[in-house]
Amino acid sequence: MNLKTSKELKEVNDTINHINLRKQMILTRTLVSAINEVDENLTHRELANSIAFILYEYYGRKDYNSFINLLKDKLK
């Protein structure tokens, strides 16, 4: 692989990472806003029930383990 190609790949990768980070930030702000709108004292159980419903209805069983593993890793 030549240097130019390597540099181009890095730039593409950096752009993708930036887009993903931006999406995460927007989603986080939106979720926090929604939680505060529903109940500022929402319990972790209520949140977990809502997230479980979203996973079940919109993502399907194939994504459960991946989601749980990522969540566990992020909470370490």
Side-chain angles (χ1 to χ4, degrees), residues 30-75:
T30 304
L31 287 171
V32 169
S33 178
I35 288 168
N36 288 335
E37 186 176 318
V38 170
D39 182 355
E40 289 181 3
N41 298 312
L42 192 75
T43 68
H44 67 282
R45 290 180 186 272
E46 292 168 319
L47 178 60
N49 280 323
S50 292
I51 297 298
F53 178 79
I54 291 168
L55 282 173
Y56 179 81
E57 287 293 319
Y58 295 96
Y59 290 90
R61 294 184 86 89
K62 65 183 179 3
D63 295 312
Y64 292 175
N65 286 335
S66 175
F67 178 85
I68 295 300
N69 290 335
L70 180 60
L71 185 60
K72 286 178 181 178
D73 186 55
K74 293 292 183 178
L75 292 173

Side-chain angles (χ1 to χ4, degrees), residues 19-37:
I19 291 168
N20 288 336
L21 181 59
R22 186 170 186 280
K23 284 174 30 178
Q24 290 173 9
M25 290 170 57
I26 292 169
L27 180 57
T28 299
R29 281 194 307 255
T30 304
L31 287 171
V32 169
S33 178
I35 288 168
N36 288 335
E37 186 176 318

